[in-house]
Amino acid sequence: MIKKVDKSPELISSNAAKRVLIVGGGFAGLSAACRLRRLARGAEIILIDPQDCFTFFPAIYRLAAGELPESAVCTPIAQIANRRGFTFFHDEVEKIDWRRNFALTQKGERIPFDYCIIAVGGRTNYYGIPGMEEYAFALKTKDDAERLEEHASELVRRKGSARFVVCGGGLSGVEFASELQGHLSGRCGREWDDNSAQERLKRENAREGNGNSRHKVTVVHALPRLVPELPQAGGIAEGRLREIGVELVLDSPVVRVGRNLVMTAGGRKIGADVIVWAGGMRTHELIGRSRFPTVTGGVGKATAGSGAAVNRFLQTTANPRIFAVGDCMAPVDAELRRQVIKTAWNAAAEGETAAHNVAALMNGGPLRPFNPTACPVLFTIGRDFGVFHYRGLMLAGRWVVWLKGLFEKIYARNFA
């Protein structure tokens, strides 16, 4: 049971174990917990998250496309906590009182802390597009991916064909669309043996001029080129997607979404049985609800957007004992903000930096500034083609798929 605080909560007594509260169990939060356990062995480390498992997000699009089982991308956080020596609570923090150093949870707990690392990530940003939140599937969490996969597979089994529209042509949208296209044209098609369904499909496709195609995957993107996170790869992504049969609607912002319809700014209406939103993120509501000072930076997944304002040591400007890492933070320094690309790699590095600095504050040591390092970007376009980019070098081919899979296995093993 968590010790509750009184009406005037104070820091835990100096002669007791220091308590570090980590809010969020993603890449940043788990990296912080594991690193801090090694640096501050006497500290009490509590990690709290509303999800009961750690999701390996770089592979979540494959879960949504039906290519991987849940067990391949999810690891129970309690299992990690037991092995790494910290405490996990399955709960959600609703507010952090950064003046008095305690957190309030959804289950009614009041948790005092000496230090806190906020790693709650971001929320899906629908940009106020009418109907998008109501009718489109998001692609951010394990639950999102499972709902999408279950709905899509049931639809395909029932109707025999489906029109999928992916709104957003960034890395997530491109990887999901290509994986989905491969899934639909592969074993998924061979599973149907209902002759009456086959004949119905042939008649419908003949009327619509679709030949023998059962499915259609379309990517609608607001910008003229795909993959704005990596502009050099946009042309490669476009060519490869068209080659495997994905339709592209570029330079066409989505302005409205209906139950089975996507409308673009140019007036185009695109029919859809399944709509997927692979757009950007917004600041987690915990940051606003706790009234942390914020910084608004760039827009989109690839850059640091609005988030809790932090200095170069990742300490919030509100309280130097509270750190913010991952998608929920934004550096005050404009140059650092430009360098902090929102990837799992950087989130884990930020978590480790915050853990080092918490331990330094405990022990009276020097703080370490967060210095983003160049990291390779690997993404796949279908089952047998990928793109590799690192420090200006860009390569593509089948071998990237193998390399990406190897990297993911090694990285996921760190949290297993």
Side-chain angles (χ1 to χ4, degrees):
M1 188 68 177
I2 300 173
K3 178 183 176 182
K4 298 189 179 183
V5 300
D6 57 24
K7 294 181 180 179
S8 301
E10 302 291 340
L11 292 180
I12 300 170
S13 171
S14 60
N15 60 7
K18 298 295 185 182
R19 176 180 288 171
V20 183
L21 177 64
I22 300 174
V23 186
F27 279 95
L30 281 176
S31 294
C34 295
R35 180 67 171 166
L36 192 59
R37 181 75 291 160
R38 295 194 295 270
L39 297 175
R41 296 188 180 277
E44 178 188 11
I45 302 171
I46 297 173
L47 187 147
I48 183 168
D49 194 282
Q51 301 294 321
D52 61 358
C53 78
F54 163 68
T55 301
F56 190 78
F57 185 77
I60 198 172
Y61 67 92
R62 298 186 66 196
L63 173 63
E67 288 293 296
L68 286 177
E70 176 188 334
S71 59
V73 298
C74 299
T75 304
I77 298 178
Q79 175 181 311
I80 301 172
N82 289 337
R83 187 154 46 241
R84 297 305 183 99
F86 60 88
T87 301
F88 170 60
F89 285 97
H90 189 200
D91 198 352
E92 183 169 12
V93 172
E94 293 193 330
K95 185 179 179 181
I96 294 173
D97 188 320
W98 47 265
R99 291 182 177 87
R100 298 186 293 169
N101 295 293
F102 71 91
L104 298 175
T105 78
Q106 191 176 68
K107 294 180 180 178
E109 298 287 355
R110 294 164 62 92
I111 310 175
F113 56 79
D114 288 288
Y115 303 94
C116 179
I117 299 174
I118 307 172
V120 289
R123 294 297 198 198
T124 301
N125 191 350
Y126 296 97
Y127 297 104
I129 300 172
M132 185 66 79
E133 185 171 5
E134 181 180 0
Y135 295 113
F137 287 88
L139 193 57
K140 185 165 192 324
T141 68
K142 169 184 72 72
D143 292 340
D144 289 339
E146 288 180 331
R147 281 193 294 267
L148 174 55
E149 194 278 331
E150 289 171 5
H151 176 78
S153 61
E154 172 60 25
L155 178 69
V156 169
R157 282 194 295 267
R158 179 166 46 84
K159 290 186 62 177
S161 67
R163 300 164 298 172
F164 295 84
V165 175
V166 180
C167 301
L171 287 173
S172 295
V174 167
E175 288 198 295
F176 173 69
S178 61
E179 197 72 33
L180 179 64
Q181 178 73 7
H183 180 70
L184 293 171
S185 61
R187 70 172 183 271
C188 179
R190 294 193 295 271
E191 288 174 355
W192 303 326
D193 56 6
D194 186 336
N195 292 329
S196 61
Q198 300 284 1
E199 292 302 318
R200 184 179 71 252
L201 279 171
K202 289 180 181 178
R203 292 194 298 271
E204 291 175 353
N205 287 326
R207 285 198 301 270
E208 297 176 8
N210 293 331
N212 293 320
S213 175
R214 295 177 181 176
H215 310 290
K216 185 176 183 180
V217 178
T218 302
V219 174
V220 182
H221 189 50
L223 301 177
R225 300 296 294 270
L226 294 174
V227 198
E229 303 97 324
L230 199 61
Q232 306 95 314
I236 295 176
E238 291 164 24
R240 184 62 181 176
L241 284 175
R242 288 192 170 102
E243 184 179 330
I244 63 176
V246 175
E247 181 185 18
L248 301 180
V249 181
L250 305 179
D251 202 14
S252 301
V254 175
V255 296
R256 183 177 294 275
V257 171
R259 186 179 299 277
N260 297 106
L261 187 69
V262 173
M263 296 181 62
T264 70
R268 181 168 179 175
K269 298 180 179 180
I270 305 169
D273 298 300
V274 179
I275 302 168
V276 179
W277 174 240
M281 293 184 297
R282 61 176 173 82
T283 306
H284 196 286
E285 58 270 19
L286 175 65
I287 302 302
R289 200 157 49 219
S290 303
R291 303 187 66 81
F292 279 95
T294 60
V295 171
T296 300
V299 177
K301 284 188 173 181
T303 60
S306 180
V310 299
N311 62 18
R312 62 197 184 104
F313 304 109
L314 304 181
Q315 296 166 298
T316 63
T317 58
N319 183 334
R321 288 176 174 260
I322 300 178
F323 296 74
V325 293
D327 292 342
C328 69
M329 71 82 173
V332 172
D333 182 85
E335 179 60 22
L336 180 58
R337 190 162 66 248
R338 185 188 65 80
Q339 296 176 25
V340 177
I341 300 175
K342 294 197 169 182
T343 63
W345 181 298
N346 271 333
E350 291 163 24
E352 292 193 356
T353 297
H356 171 90
N357 289 337
V358 166
L361 289 176
M362 288 181 182
N363 302 321
L367 300 185
R368 176 192 298 169
F370 176 65
N371 294 312
T373 58
C375 57
V377 177
L378 299 90
F379 69 99
T380 55
I381 311 173
R383 298 175 176 178
D384 58 359
F385 187 86
V387 177
F388 171 93
H389 181 271
Y390 181 65
R391 294 186 182 273
L393 174 66
M394 188 166 66
L395 303 170
R398 180 188 294 268
W399 64 274
V400 179
V401 179
W402 173 84
L403 184 63
K404 184 173 185 284
L406 177 63
F407 277 13
E408 289 179 353
K409 288 179 181 178
I410 293 173
Y411 211 78
R413 196 172 298 142
N414 291 334
F415 301 110

